[in-house]
Amino acid sequence: MNFSIPEPTPPTIIEPSLFSTTDIEIDALLGAPKARSSFNVDGSGLAVAVLDTGLRVTHKCFAGRVADARNFTSDDGGNPAVVTDRNGHGTNVTGLIAAGTNDERRGIAPGAMVVPLKVLPAPTLAPIVNALIWINENHARLGISVANLSLGTPGINLSDDASARAQFPQLAAILKELNSKRVAVVVAAGNDYKSFEKEGMSLPAIFREVISVGAVYDASVGPRHYQSGAIAFSTHADQITPFTQRLSKEASPDCYMDVLSAGASATSAGATDDDATSVQDGTSQAAPTVAGVVLLMQQHYKRLTGGLQPVSLLQDVLRSTSTWIVDGDDEEDNVINTHRKFPRVNAFESLVALDKSVKLAALHKVNR
């Protein structure tokens, strides 16, 4: 089974002088600045493992915050210590989570440590599974509380039933193990919607133990044409991208997509030099913004309780505090819309709800 980057468009490299001084689009849409300031969170004390094409570890966006790195591919002679990002995808994704610069590349959780795990290109499932096993063995040592997988298999899945788990037993087992240890695995839902024009997600996004993420636009960026044939004739904030795979609770009560998030067009770190910037579209870009929100939630929960919350609690809070988006109410695209509602993550509201639930639980315990 060939795993690949669910990337509908190649990266665009822009000059630093062409972007604004603050991330006013993704940050503002998701309520991240208010979440960070109101709850004094930035991901500090936690680490995110990014399973991708590697990372430009010398980039200024990650200065002093690369906790460890491992190569699980045959690139660079299979040297386990070398995670050179020749594609640029991994650097862009990592920046969306945790870039520490005070400009438009700033990540949602700019205080978090990063652990790049190079798993792409992946002609088989082995690099991804081996990287997840490595996280299971090293998460306590490095403080890894989130793993981001902006990757998947081409295809459409409605369930992670017994046959699906039997087909990928190692993957299913390690995802279940990480879930039990409260390591949140965030996965891109996939970019093949135009190929099927019906509900479903790629794998491993379909597994219920992970937090699956689809993409919306963060602003008006004009018409967008994608290699898959998907077209957005116009764009605006909170418009579902025509490429994003989607799966509603109505269609799949156990394995539905958790949330939508900003994934087009996403400005982040670039891999060409130590101050490079890139802009990419994809559920690949939406997933890391949610990984960043999860880090903020985990930091606050850990401050209040001393530990990490169950992944199921993260999923419930993310979904229940989201802004609801109707697929097809104002999308101008060339795909068949489902006309169902999907939740788009709201960082501030998620932190508010999490804070209330923890404090109410503590009060109930005291009063028993």
Side-chain angles (χ1 to χ4, degrees):
M1 179 65 70
N2 185 34
F3 271 66
S4 61
I5 306 164
E7 178 61 38
T9 56
T12 301
I13 308 301
I14 63 175
E15 295 297 323
S17 60
L18 297 181
F19 58 79
S20 61
T21 57
T22 58
D23 190 344
I24 60 174
E25 294 175 348
I26 292 177
D27 250 13
L29 184 68
L30 304 187
K34 191 175 181 180
R36 289 192 296 261
S37 62
S38 298
F39 292 93
N40 190 27
V41 290
D42 64 359
S44 293
L46 302 172
V48 57
V50 184
L51 285 69
D52 217 287
T53 62
L55 179 71
R56 189 174 184 98
V57 295
T58 55
H59 198 289
K60 66 182 291 185
C61 284
F62 314 110
R65 291 187 300 113
V66 180
D68 203 341
R70 285 292 184 277
N71 176 20
F72 295 90
T73 74
S74 60
D75 278 11
D76 296 297
N79 187 332
V82 179
V83 293
T84 306
D85 185 10
R86 295 182 176 85
N87 178 281
H89 188 269
T91 300
N92 178 279
V93 165
T94 307
L96 289 166
I97 303 170
T101 48
N102 190 28
D103 55 39
E104 196 175 26
R105 297 170 296 186
R106 181 185 56 203
I108 300 295
M113 300 296 286
V114 298
V115 181
L117 303 180
K118 184 169 181 174
V119 299
L120 297 175
T124 70
L125 183 61
I128 290 93
V129 170
N130 289 339
L132 291 169
I133 292 171
W134 186 91
I135 293 170
N136 190 43
E137 295 170 347
N138 292 276
H139 70 93
R141 174 177 67 89
L142 296 169
I144 297 171
S145 59
V146 180
N148 187 87
L149 281 69
S150 288
L151 49 79
T153 59
I156 188 166
N157 300 275
L158 291 174
S159 174
D160 67 346
D161 58 16
S163 62
R165 289 177 181 269
Q167 187 178 2
F168 301 99
Q170 286 184 299
L171 179 61
I174 191 59
L175 289 174
K176 187 174 182 179
E177 178 71 12
L178 289 170
N179 183 283
S180 72
K181 293 184 177 179
R182 304 190 176 190
V183 176
V185 179
V186 182
V187 185
N191 291 341
D192 292 331
Y193 186 68
K194 179 59 179 172
S195 300
F196 304 100
E197 298 198 76
K198 60 182 180 180
E199 293 189 61
M201 292 190 291
S202 66
L203 187 145
I206 194 62
F207 285 102
R208 69 192 69 190
E209 290 88 358
V210 310
I211 299 172
S212 52
V213 186
V216 298
Y217 292 101
D218 59 38
S220 176
V221 293
R224 304 292 278 182
H225 295 247
Y226 300 97
Q227 293 173 0
S228 66
I231 301 172
F233 299 111
S234 64
T235 55
H236 58 81
D238 269 341
Q239 176 182 330
I240 298 176
T241 62
F243 57 77
T244 191
Q245 289 177 241
R246 59 209 74 172
L247 183 58
S248 65
K249 189 173 183 179
E250 292 85 353
S252 178
D254 297 319
C255 301
Y256 50 93
M257 183 179 68
D258 287 292
V259 287
L260 293 162
S261 190
S265 296
T267 303
S268 185
T272 56
D273 62 61
D274 289 348
D275 194 23
T277 300
S278 67
V279 181
Q280 299 187 21
D281 285 20
T283 56
S284 283
Q285 281 59 53
T289 64
V290 173
V293 172
V294 168
L295 284 163
L296 301 183
M297 295 170 68
Q298 289 175 327
Q299 182 184 2
H300 186 59
Y301 188 92
K302 190 173 184 180
R303 181 188 296 146
L304 294 175
T305 70
L308 296 175
Q309 61 268 64
V311 177
S312 59
L313 175 59
L314 287 167
Q315 291 172 308
D316 289 344
V317 172
L318 287 169
R319 296 166 184 157
S320 64
T321 59
S322 286
T323 299
W324 288 90
I325 308 297
V326 178
D327 176 21
D329 62 340
D330 57 3
E331 280 72 22
E332 294 186 3
D333 53 35
N334 69 337
V335 298
I336 297 172
N337 303 114
T338 65
H339 299 287
R340 285 178 166 156
K341 294 198 305 181
F342 294 92
R344 192 265 295 149
V345 66
N346 186 314
F348 175 70
E349 294 298 336
S350 290
L351 264 295
V352 169
L354 183 69
D355 184 73
K356 287 181 178 178
S357 68
V358 172
K359 290 176 179 176
L360 283 172
L363 182 63
H364 177 71
K365 185 176 182 180
V366 168
N367 292 333
R368 287 184 64 180

